[in-house]
Amino acid sequence: MNTDLIIAEHFIRSDIRESVQIIERLEYDEIVDFISEVPLDLASKVLLQMNNYKAAKCLELLDIQVAVELIAKLDLMSIDLLLRHCDEAFRNALLDRTAPNIARKIRQRLQYTSNSVGNVMSLRVFSLQKDASIGEAIGLMKKERELIGSEIFVTDERARFEGIVTITDLILGESKDQISSILKLDIPKVFADDPIVTVRNSPAWSKYRTIPVIDRSEILIGSLHFSDVSRIDMMEDSELKKETIETGNAVGELYWIGLTGLLQSVSKSD
């Protein structure tokens, strides 16, 4: 690794936001060369801080295998935001080379608009059938412990959402009784194609941390977590800051000139 690259990495890691503002002033080929040179963890942090459109265009210009390795460092929501700004042919080629479990989840999210519940919902959801016995339900829960919360969704035999049962009620219930005997009805639910803005301030969050997501046939297809809704607000605030923060003083301008020179030196070196 050359000295200029080491120094540039140090500057970027010490102040990622300020550094990315400077990086975004470079030409696309210079940004791509730099991203290709630095470690993947740093490259992923740079992409996350960049304007989504610019980041997507840089992703398209990278070697396809580097792009695959790079998005593997990102979470699903960040991948989704980037790929929505990419050319469809590139997006499909990238997902074809991505781990199948990740590619499937991303393709599912991309079916919905970026401001919809379906784009944010979790596809990993554990549910019980209402005609199962409490004993059978507890046996199933032991096999899927990582997906179990304090409340569990319940469906009918056609996977249509019916209500919820609580862990407490299951533990206190009789093993031979059916789930339907302890089922709680009138549970708030949302459609996958609902705009996310309609559920941000829902009164349901005062009682539930997770809300079932259904399609227009009332089939249970996912769950919406309060933490994911809150995260969208944080990401939008972050994107707004990207667009409004400027390097306005003399010290900042000198910093920009110095780091720009380093980055250009890195991108032109072999």
Side-chain angles (χ1 to χ4, degrees):
M1 182 181 292
N2 63 53
T3 303
D4 286 343
L5 182 56
I6 294 173
I7 296 173
E9 275 194 49
H10 172 75
F11 274 118
I12 293 170
R13 290 186 187 278
S14 64
D15 192 341
I16 186 72
R17 286 190 177 182
E18 187 84 4
S19 299
V20 168
Q21 291 178 55
I22 297 168
I23 290 171
E24 288 186 324
R25 300 190 191 190
L26 300 175
E27 298 297 329
Y28 277 119
D29 59 338
E30 293 176 324
I31 299 175
V32 169
D33 286 344
F34 177 74
I35 288 176
S36 299
E37 288 287 333
V38 300
L40 286 173
D41 73 300
L42 182 57
S44 65
K45 291 176 182 177
V46 168
L47 280 184
L48 285 177
Q49 290 294 325
M50 288 177 65
N51 169 276
N52 287 330
Y53 174 80
K54 288 184 178 179
K57 294 309 162 188
C58 289
L59 194 66
E60 290 180 356
L61 293 172
L62 284 168
D63 175 83
I64 188 69
Q65 187 54 42
V66 174
V68 169
E69 294 173 1
L70 189 52
I71 67 167
K73 295 289 185 180
L74 306 178
D75 59 82
L76 290 178
M77 190 175 294
S78 298
I79 297 172
D80 175 88
L81 286 172
L82 277 178
L83 294 190
R84 284 182 184 275
H85 291 81
C86 290
D87 174 77
E88 184 177 359
F90 169 80
R91 184 167 63 224
N92 289 332
L94 187 69
L95 290 175
D96 286 343
R97 292 169 172 80
T98 301
N101 61 320
I102 299 298
R104 178 183 60 82
K105 292 176 182 178
I106 292 298
R107 285 193 166 103
Q108 175 79 32
R109 294 172 70 103
L110 290 171
Q111 291 179 14
Y112 299 97
T113 59
S114 60
N115 62 348
S116 68
V117 169
N119 179 243
V120 181
M121 70 179 180
S122 171
L123 298 175
R124 296 190 70 197
V125 55
F126 176 81
S127 63
L128 298 168
Q129 285 197 10
K130 67 177 183 179
D131 58 357
S133 71
I134 291 176
E136 291 171 337
I138 292 176
L140 289 171
M141 289 163 54
K142 289 180 179 179
K143 297 178 182 179
E144 301 288 349
R145 294 181 181 180
E146 72 279 5
L147 297 178
I148 305 301
S150 59
E151 296 160 339
I152 301 170
F153 299 153
V154 178
T155 67
D156 65 12
E157 68 281 358
R158 296 184 179 180
R160 292 177 299 195
F161 179 74
E162 291 282 336
I164 64 169
V165 291
T166 67
I167 294 290
T168 301
D169 288 341
L170 285 168
I171 293 174
L172 297 178
E174 294 292 333
S175 178
K176 294 182 180 180
D177 288 348
Q178 286 191 328
I179 294 294
S180 57
S181 67
I182 56 172
L183 185 63
K184 296 182 184 298
L185 305 174
D186 299 323
I187 304 301
K189 51 188 178 290
V190 292
F191 290 109
D193 54 5
D194 280 346
I196 194 68
V197 67
T198 63
V199 299
R200 276 178 172 164
N201 299 314
S202 170
W205 297 124
S206 64
K207 186 174 182 180
Y208 303 98
R209 295 291 89 181
T210 304
I211 296 176
V213 180
I214 60 176
D215 64 15
R216 291 295 168 175
S217 299
E218 300 205 352
I219 302 296
L220 177 66
I221 59 174
S223 62
L224 183 65
H225 299 270
F226 177 73
S227 59
D228 289 331
V229 176
S230 300
R231 187 178 171 206
I232 287 180
D233 291 333
M234 293 174 61
M235 292 184 74
E236 288 183 349
D237 288 343
S238 176
E239 189 63 26
L240 181 61
K241 289 177 182 177
K242 292 180 196 176
E243 296 173 357
T244 58
I245 294 175
E246 296 181 355
T247 309
N249 55 46
V251 174
E253 194 63 24
L254 287 172
Y255 177 77
W256 173 77
I257 292 171
L259 185 52
T260 298
L262 280 172
L263 294 173
Q264 289 174 328
S265 173
V266 169
S267 69
K268 293 174 182 176
S269 63
D270 294 326

